Amino acid sequence: MATSHRKRMVDQPGFWGFLFICPWLIGFLCFTAGPMLTSFWLSFHKYDLVSIQNVGVENYRRLFTEDPLFWKALKNTIFYALVSVPLGIIGSLSIALLLNQNVRGQKLFRVCFYLPSLVPAVASALVWQWVFNSDNGILNTMLRMVGITGPQWLQDERATPWAFALMSLWGVGGGRMVIFLAGLQNISDSYYEAAKIDGASPWRCFRCVTMPLLSPVMFFNLILGVIGAFQIFTSAYVITGGGPNHASLYYALYLFQNAFEYFKFGKASAMAWVLFCILLCLTLIQFWTSKRWVYYEGGDK
Amino acid sequence: MFNRPRLLLKSLAILVGILAVGCSSDPFAGKVQIRYMAWGNPEQMALEERLCDEFNQKNPDVHVSFLKVPAAEYGLKMMLMLASHSAPDVMRVDHYNFPRLVKKGYFHDLTDLAAQDPTFHREDFFPQAIQECLYNDKLYGLNVLFGGVLIYYNKSMFREAGLEDPAELAKNGNWTWERFRDSAMRMSQKGPDGRYTRFGFGAPSSGSTFPVLACAIWGYGGDMLDPKLQHAVFDQPGSVKAFQMLADFRWKDHCSPTQAQGENSLYTFESGKLGMVFDFMGMTPRYRKVIHKFDWDVCPVPSGPFGHTTLCKGNQLVMDAETKHPKEAWRFERFITSQSTEQELYVDLRRCFPTRKAMAYSKAYLQTSKPPFNNWAFVDAIEHSRPLPINDRWSEWTNAFNSEIDNLIAGRERDAGVVLKRAKQKVDKVLADEEGF
């Protein structure tokens, strides 16, 4: 009886599949889904690691109505996303286009442009701190050469948001560029040849051939870029700690401070869920608009 | 070729053997096991490791294992260990974190253990060193790495500028903030390109001058929080005057690097680019090691209309409230804060300041063959010291405070009175807010 039952299990179509993804599945349930559910539960509690107390939606109410820093952090983060995502996508695409050219040393160039993304985030943050040094930094020194007095990048609250947006350019040569490059290489040469025969200029080729065919890749990078921008943390944590005057207090940094510096785990969990909802909405909006500008080769889908 | 099953069997046998040996010979069987956790630079860690070994040798019934944790992760790790009931028996905790943790009941009350110990006498210690370890008048820790802030000064630079020695001025009661400002301005120099080659003084970190320059606030009769540490009093005239002076040092008198100038360690004391630096006593070993090009020494902080008061701060050696071996843990705590340990760490190596009065007043402490020679200034600093107003919400209210004075420090706002009024409102809001939200 037992053996026949067992046999039936093994014969189930999903059995081997589940068996093989079992390690991932267990990991996901224990280390991702579990903590997520816990944080959802915690967001309705006041928890400081010692005592726990159900407070209903008080954490959410306080966030929205009584915490100016929450709004400041959200505003900072939206500004960062608005500047850094387009900047990053244009940067990555430009590099990908250049690296897609058939020139000598192509492989070397690809390695060189990819290298910065291998530097640990903390180390690159420290390098940027030097770049932005308003007195001796390379950026202001160069500005001085052309007669411009650069701002106090990391001390002036008006300049700091721009400094962080510029810093995000460090990542343009990374994974996003590689994905663009792969997308470019997938575009068949025959389209370009046909366009050339019709007398299309290089710009026309880019606009009417490259862009439409690259739009699914662009869409993918846009979604990941927005999510990534909303999660900016390391550079602000290392360089300014949120200052000056909270100009670089980003959402994830404020969440971290609440959880691990002030031990307000309920509030931090509520913040995490608010962020989750924001990102979900933004992603859904992007999917909705994508119907108008994303073109999938060989089908409607 | 290899016989696979046999090879497998053999390796299995070896594995089982190793496991059996590993399990059977517990070298610490029958001993009371104590876990001790601390952080520090490699030298500090090596020292503490040696102290643990020494303790283990002298106490055959106890074994202390030493858990070293990197400084950056220490606070969080300790917090999580305490919350998950897996904390070590003995831990070192920075005083910045002590008030909020002791309030949660995480630490063992040491009052009775101290009372039963015939060798422990409170009056042997500087009162400030004991004060930091108290909560509701009960003793919850023993102070280690205790010390205060004073001025390290570049003696050669003073001499070159034709200035009077600040330590001598202090002895006669003439080392005032006006004198300090004058000296600092005369030592600041510009190079041919208009950039400063050196400054009169600097605060240790490039960022905020708070709390290291708390001595200015106290010297002018101001304060940060009320005595019960429940609300802010930055708007007092003394506090405003002190902050205005500190801002003016940078933006009006140009005798201290601005935050941007001071970034990335461009002006440090050891490179000879700062005439004076406010810093903790624990900097002495480092300066002894790296400074060879100029003469240097220490002197008290300048006096204001209300005299001179500096800040003191230490770490506390605390015991987990859930430890099963409080007596053995106490023995260990007493060992690493013993007279002979303090003699080595604080008198010979000058890592910080001894907590015992007799030791600080001893000839061995006051007379040294290596700089600094004005060792009386260390003692004077502790005698004129106060602990910082660290309460259970220190990190939160200082964050609110620092963000408000960022613009004053960066020179975007010049009026300290306006800035501090706003800072007071913000800090009061933090302190009045219900805890945990």
Side-chain angles (χ1 to χ4, degrees):
Chain A
M1 193 66 191
T3 39
S4 71
H5 177 74
R6 207 187 200 171
K7 222 172 195 171
R8 240 178 282 146
M9 273 266 287
V10 172
D11 285 340
Q12 293 279 328
F15 177 80
W16 290 103
F18 275 113
L19 185 73
F20 281 118
I21 62 159
C22 197
W24 176 84
L25 206 60
I26 292 169
F28 172 77
L29 290 175
C30 294
F31 300 115
T32 306
M36 272 181 82
L37 288 176
T38 314
S39 89
F40 186 67
W41 179 78
L42 272 179
S43 73
F44 298 103
H45 291 76
K46 193 167 103 172
Y47 179 49
D48 63 353
L49 286 179
V50 180
S51 58
I52 192 156
Q53 180 192 338
N54 190 316
V55 292
V57 293
E58 183 65 8
N59 283 322
Y60 292 95
R61 192 190 68 76
R62 277 170 176 260
L63 269 188
F64 292 127
T65 61
E66 281 178 22
D67 192 352
L69 280 185
F70 166 78
W71 293 106
K72 176 115 193 183
L74 194 59
K75 214 179 81 193
N76 288 340
T77 312
I78 290 173
F79 176 85
Y80 175 78
L82 280 178
V83 179
S84 76
V85 172
L87 209 65
I89 287 193
I90 292 169
S92 297
L93 182 59
S94 312
I95 297 177
L97 284 169
L98 288 175
L99 293 181
N100 200 31
Q101 305 299 317
N102 246 331
V103 288
R104 264 177 71 177
Q106 189 201 41
K107 280 183 184 154
L108 184 74
F109 285 125
R110 284 181 185 175
V111 170
C112 288
F113 277 98
Y114 191 73
L115 271 182
S117 58
L118 295 177
V119 176
V122 174
S124 70
L126 290 174
V127 172
W128 278 101
Q129 201 173 6
W130 268 107
V131 172
F132 284 122
N133 185 309
S134 57
D135 215 39
N136 290 282
I138 188 165
L139 191 60
N140 276 7
T141 307
M142 272 157 44
L143 285 174
R144 215 174 292 134
M145 281 177 189
V146 293
I148 301 170
T149 312
Q152 292 191 56
W153 289 104
L154 301 173
Q155 283 81 36
D156 187 337
E157 56 175 310
R158 293 166 303 181
T160 308
W162 293 99
F164 277 90
L166 278 178
M167 233 181 283
S168 71
L169 282 176
W170 185 261
V172 292
R176 191 166 39 198
M177 184 272 288
V178 173
I179 294 169
F180 270 129
L181 195 56
L184 286 172
Q185 286 176 345
N186 252 345
I187 300 174
S188 161
D189 278 342
S190 56
Y191 292 115
Y192 292 109
E193 281 160 16
K196 259 180 205 156
I197 291 167
D198 288 344
S201 65
W203 169 246
R204 189 81 200 261
C205 277
F206 174 73
R207 202 165 58 86
C208 298
V209 179
T210 315
M211 282 307 279
L213 290 173
L214 207 58
S215 61
V217 175
M218 182 76 92
F219 179 54
F220 176 79
N221 274 337
L222 186 67
I223 288 179
L224 286 194
V226 169
I227 294 175
F230 267 84
Q231 292 172 340
I232 173 183
F233 174 77
T234 314
S235 49
Y237 180 67
V238 173
I239 298 179
T240 55
N245 199 11
H246 298 311
S248 63
L249 184 73
Y250 292 108
Y251 199 94
L253 180 60
Y254 188 47
L255 192 157
F256 175 86
Q257 284 181 346
N258 274 309
F260 299 110
E261 282 175 21
Y262 312 149
F263 303 124
K264 298 176 176 178
F265 285 91
K267 180 180 176 182
S269 301
M271 279 188 76
W273 279 90
V274 171
L275 180 64
F276 177 77
C277 293
I278 292 173
L279 288 176
L280 191 69
C281 288
L282 286 177
T283 308
L284 286 176
I285 291 171
Q286 289 176 68
F287 264 99
W288 178 65
T289 59
S290 74
K291 285 176 199 142
R292 295 172 194 200
W293 62 274
V294 177
Y295 169 80
Y296 289 99
E297 205 178 352
D300 296 332
K301 192 79 213 325
Chain B
M1 286 301 279
F2 296 112
N3 182 338
R4 275 219 182 136
R6 204 179 267 175
L7 191 73
L8 205 79
L9 255 171
K10 265 186 193 166
S11 35
L12 249 172
I14 291 170
L15 221 118
V16 169
I18 290 170
L19 275 176
V21 170
C23 295
S24 65
S25 63
D26 180 3
F28 313 124
K31 287 187 179 189
V32 170
Q33 301 225 29
I34 300 278
R35 289 189 304 151
Y36 168 54
M37 181 167 82
W39 80 98
N41 58 23
E43 293 127 44
Q44 178 70 24
M45 291 291 92
L47 265 169
E48 295 199 27
E49 175 112 66
R50 213 198 62 213
L51 287 173
C52 291
D53 290 345
E54 223 171 276
F55 178 83
N56 286 337
Q57 269 172 15
K58 287 183 183 161
N59 296 271
D61 57 325
V62 186
H63 180 80
V64 174
S65 48
F66 183 26
L67 197 58
K68 297 172 220 170
V69 178
E73 293 150 35
Y74 192 84
L76 189 58
K77 184 172 173 88
M78 182 171 63
M79 189 71 209
L80 295 177
M81 285 174 111
L82 286 165
S84 60
H85 307 279
S86 59
D89 303 85
V90 179
M91 297 156 269
R92 179 144 57 77
V93 47
D94 196 312
H95 190 66
Y96 290 127
N97 289 319
F98 177 79
R100 66 170 171 193
L101 293 176
V102 74
K103 196 181 162 199
K104 291 187 197 295
Y106 282 141
F107 302 148
H108 197 281
D109 181 358
L110 306 178
T111 319
D112 291 342
L113 286 163
Q116 286 156 15
D117 186 339
T119 61
F120 185 85
H121 309 290
R122 268 194 204 193
E123 56 284 2
D124 288 351
F125 301 90
F126 282 98
Q128 291 93 332
I130 296 286
Q131 197 188 331
E132 274 197 332
C133 307
L134 298 179
Y135 176 70
N136 289 340
D137 293 328
K138 302 250 181 196
L139 187 74
Y140 281 91
L142 296 179
N143 223 324
V144 283
L145 296 173
F146 175 69
V149 165
L150 78 177
I151 294 180
Y152 293 84
Y153 69 99
N154 184 325
K155 222 172 167 161
S156 310
M157 213 192 275
F158 267 82
R159 224 181 285 134
E160 280 162 33
L163 292 163
E164 270 185 82
D165 188 90
E168 293 305 315
L169 286 169
K171 275 185 195 163
N172 306 322
N174 293 327
W175 181 231
T176 59
W177 280 102
E178 289 81 39
R179 209 48 179 265
F180 170 86
R181 174 172 167 269
D182 177 58
S183 307
M185 283 173 76
R186 281 167 62 183
M187 285 189 287
S188 303
Q189 276 182 4
K190 272 185 190 174
D193 59 349
R195 283 202 201 178
Y196 281 91
T197 49
R198 63 190 209 190
F199 280 104
F201 91 98
S205 60
S206 59
S208 174
T209 47
F210 177 78
V212 175
L213 293 178
C215 52
I217 302 169
W218 291 329
Y220 279 91
D223 215 332
M224 296 158 247
L225 302 187
D226 73 308
K228 286 187 169 170
L229 311 183
Q230 283 165 350
H231 61 262
V233 293
F234 303 113
D235 53 342
Q236 287 177 347
S239 311
V240 173
K241 202 157 184 192
F243 271 103
Q244 190 66 58
M245 180 179 74
L246 295 174
D248 288 349
F249 282 153
R250 293 173 158 189
W251 297 101
K252 215 165 117 196
D253 308 328
H254 303 288
C255 61
S256 175
T258 66
Q259 205 181 353
Q261 286 165 334
E263 236 174 30
N264 309 108
S265 310
L266 286 174
Y267 297 92
T268 59
F269 182 68
E270 51 267 54
S271 64
K273 289 180 179 172
L274 289 178
M276 298 175 270
V277 68
F278 287 82
D279 216 330
F280 279 93
M281 296 170 175
M283 290 307 285
T284 308
R286 171 170 167 76
Y287 289 157
R288 273 187 178 171
K289 204 166 128 192
V290 299
I291 300 176
H292 303 293
K293 288 185 179 161
F294 57 86
D295 294 335
W296 61 280
D297 219 312
V298 291
C299 70
V301 297
S303 313
F306 289 77
H308 73 288
T309 308
T310 189
L311 65 98
C312 62
K313 200 184 82 57
N315 292 172
Q316 278 77 51
L317 216 53
V318 297
M319 212 181 277
D320 178 22
E322 294 170 2
T323 178
K324 291 192 186 89
H325 312 289
K327 281 191 180 141
E328 287 78 6
W330 173 256
R331 247 160 71 198
F332 175 64
E333 284 200 11
R334 288 286 286 150
F335 177 81
I336 48 175
T337 55
S338 71
Q339 220 155 342
S340 60
T341 314
E342 284 214 317
Q343 175 76 30
E344 182 184 348
L345 289 182
Y346 309 134
V347 178
D348 301 341
L349 297 171
R350 304 271 156 167
R351 292 207 63 80
C352 271
F353 191 78
T355 56
R356 286 175 175 79
K357 288 186 225 164
M359 209 156 268
Y361 296 124
S362 70
K363 216 173 161 186
Y365 186 80
L366 292 169
Q367 292 181 0
T368 49
S369 56
K370 279 185 266 181
F373 301 108
N374 300 330
N375 292 300
W376 57 269
F378 291 113
V379 181
D380 173 89
I382 293 300
E383 282 172 348
H384 292 86
S385 70
R386 281 174 58 174
L388 283 168
I390 299 173
N391 57 10
D392 55 328
R393 302 181 93 167
W394 165 264
S395 69
E396 212 179 334
W397 78 255
T398 51
N399 201 333
F401 175 77
N402 283 329
S403 73
E404 206 48 68
I405 66 161
D406 273 343
N407 283 329
L408 184 73
I409 302 289
R412 289 232 304 129
E413 284 193 73
R414 297 292 167 85
D415 187 346
V418 177
V419 173
L420 288 171
K421 199 174 248 173
R422 280 205 310 265
K424 176 189 159 53
Q425 284 168 358
K426 269 199 183 169
V427 171
D428 276 346
K429 190 171 172 283
V430 168
L431 293 177
D433 213 8
E434 197 183 330
E435 212 182 334
F437 274 118

